[in-house]
Amino acid sequence: MKHFGKAVVSSRFVILIAAVLLLIPSIIGIRGTRINYDMLVYLPDTIETMQGQDILVNEFGTGAISMLIVEGKEDKEIVRLKEQVEAVDHVKDVIWYDSFADISIPKELLPQKLLDVFVRGDATLLAVTYDTSTSADETMEAVTAIRELLDDHSFLQGTNAVVTDTKILCEEEEPVYVGLAVLLALIITGLAMDTFAAPVLFLLSIGCAILYNMGTNVFLGEISYVTKAVAAVLQLGVTMDYSIFLWHSFEENMEHTADSKEAMASAIQATLQSVVGSSITTIAGFAALCFMSFTFGLDVGVVMMKGVAFGVISCVTILPSMILVFLPLVLKTRHRPLVPKLAFLPGWVAKHYKAVLVLFVLIWIPAVIGYFRTDVYYDLDKSLPTSLPSVEARAKLQDTFDMSNTMMILADADLSPKAASDLCEELRDVDGVKGVMGIDAFLGAGIPRDMLPEELSGKLQAGGWQLLLLTSCYQAATDEMDAQISAINSILDRRDPKAMLIGDAACVKDLIVISDHDFNVVNWVSIGMIFVIILVVFRSLSLPFLLVLTIEFAIFINMAVPYYTGTPLPFVASIIIGTVQLGSTVDYAILMTSRYQTERAAGKGRDEAVRIAHSTSIPSILVSGLTFFAATFGVGIYSNIDIVSSLCTLMARGALISMAVVITVLPALLMLFDPLIVRTGIGFLPKKHQKENSGLDLQKA
């Protein structure tokens, strides 16, 4: 380790030049990484709804669908608009009632079933299909082109429109995210540390690591927009500790030697030994996300594991080089730290530790109640501002046509006209179904299919399947929609076992089941991995329980707050916040416990060991927790995308709660369980006493 430190010090100028040069391929990689804005694509490929989507693309050449609402236009104007929309690249078809009947026929003579779907007062509805998937770049470009053809009385609704608006909003907000995180982190670290210049170097070093991390995402092909939005601020929050530790270690070594290079080599050695162990728990927390069936967890997990690794590397190479090069400036900007040291707290907790533990037990009750009752929503349209065009279009569709969702049914093409017509009639009778469009839906069983134009039959029948479009007045992820989907699937199972129901609402229903499973898997995997790491680090049977319990207490409080404030959370936030908070803040508990172990092994009594560990750990925990809070708080307040806002708000609040719990509850737990800890662990007593204690335990056994 010392040789590595000396190598870094002697190569500091080469390292800085290489760090700058590596930014070039990193920026190229960032520009070459595709961003996905559709969360539903992370559903498992094995579920029926996703298999149906593949059939739709492969057999019908249709990857997405929008509903176009047009108000106050004559039929000829609508036909002209329809032709313009059909001419847009990657628009496959536009289905209107003229697809089934000539517009010269008076509407009064048309089947009422046809009019119910397409006409409502002076408003008419057109179904636009695309030959690319919902979140494909080509589809988003097509949506943008269609919108340019529309006036203020026309509205384009659909998931592809939502995805397009999400992309536009993210691209507008992301520079502000980073700016807020950097500014607030700079303020906090500048006040908390003893120099104003060092935090600037910290952020430059971490900035390099963030760019390296985001640049290497090009090898993943694409990442989620949520991952892109939170990865930078989260990486900043969880890796700032490493920079702070290096600086403090450097200062300590400078007290014993006048040679700054020697001091930095020793600081690098100490930092590597400490930071590698610390980063393992953080990486383990993100690794747990990779066990999710909803593969968004794999997306954010892999990116953040890379981010932590780049953070460690940058901390022991780029940052030391920067500090040595700019050391005169750093020393000139020294000042007295302005963050309070809370010197009274160790004595107060030691004196009242029983009262603290009683309060600890009592708070568990409302925390558990709130944790399990926090409202979670799955309809991701709700995470967007109501002013977006796609959200306004959804409201218009609901108000004018009493329609909220469009689903598709892939039925067997060999169904007889009568069987298909009867299927459509039964589907129309399901509560909340507003209409069913298909080959036999309007013709009925008595009219031959070959009377339909070949162009239309080709749109609705291909590869042994026939396509039905079903419109619903219910919103996705509601009890009514859940019941409707169950009723539709029951009818399909009875009349056509081969049939599949696909569409966003059906995907969301699958998502609810999958995310409930993932919530439990991720929590238990992260707890298990952190438990094992603590067990290995401390060689103690009791400490893993105590440390995990401490942070889980903070997590339960954090997740209970939305229940008591009446704030629903997007499902993504509810799944991943527990493992992120556990992996990112358990280091606070490990830091204090490590010092406690050192003091007990040096012969200190219980009270003195806990007090020393408590008092020496508070400054580092405060700076770490406040920096994590600063990096995420601004984004949580600013973002108009609720997934991003909720995640960052939970992480910011979680950092403060974990910080508060560790500096109040953990010392009390160490006081209470000290006899158990020293008897169930190795290295908590002087060697002589440890051997005697082990011998006594063997005799008792």
Side-chain angles (χ1 to χ4, degrees), residues 461-583:
Q461 187 168 334
W465 300 92
Q466 60 175 301
L467 180 65
L468 305 176
L469 299 182
L470 184 147
T471 57
S472 168
C473 67
Y474 296 145
Q475 293 186 10
T478 60
D479 293 339
E480 294 83 0
M481 177 57 81
D482 184 72
Q484 184 184 86
I485 291 174
S486 297
I488 291 171
N489 281 326
S490 177
I491 293 170
L492 296 179
D493 289 343
R494 187 175 67 256
R495 289 190 172 272
D496 181 11
K498 181 182 175 182
M500 289 182 276
L501 178 66
I502 59 179
D504 291 342
C507 287
V508 170
K509 180 177 170 62
D510 290 332
L511 177 62
I512 294 172
V513 176
I514 290 169
S515 61
D516 286 345
H517 168 266
D518 283 347
F519 180 81
N520 293 318
V521 169
V522 168
N523 281 341
W524 285 112
V525 169
S526 62
I527 288 172
M529 294 174 74
I530 301 295
F531 186 96
V532 171
I533 292 170
I534 296 172
L535 179 67
V536 172
V537 169
F538 289 109
R539 295 180 295 174
S540 167
L541 295 176
S542 54
L543 278 176
F545 290 99
L546 296 179
L547 270 56
V548 169
L549 179 68
T550 300
I551 303 302
E552 283 296 318
F553 176 59
I555 292 170
F556 269 67
I557 294 174
N558 191 20
M559 285 293 291
V561 170
Y563 169 71
Y564 293 107
T565 59
T567 306
L569 295 176
F571 76 98
V572 171
S574 67
I575 293 175
I576 73 174
I577 187 58
T579 185
V580 170
Q581 186 175 343
L582 176 60

Side-chain angles (χ1 to χ4, degrees), residues 33 37 41 75 78 105 118 140 147 159 205 234 245 274 290 296 379 400 432 451 498 526 555 560 564 590 621 644 663:
T33 303
Y37 294 89
V41 303
D75 287 353
I78 296 173
I105 300 175
F118 290 107
M140 289 188 279
R147 283 176 169 171
T159 301
S205 170
L234 187 52
F245 188 93
S274 175
C290 300
F296 167 72
D379 185 357
T400 305
M451 288 188 64
K498 181 182 175 182
S526 62
I555 292 170
Y564 293 107
I590 291 174
I621 293 172
V644 176
I663 64 177

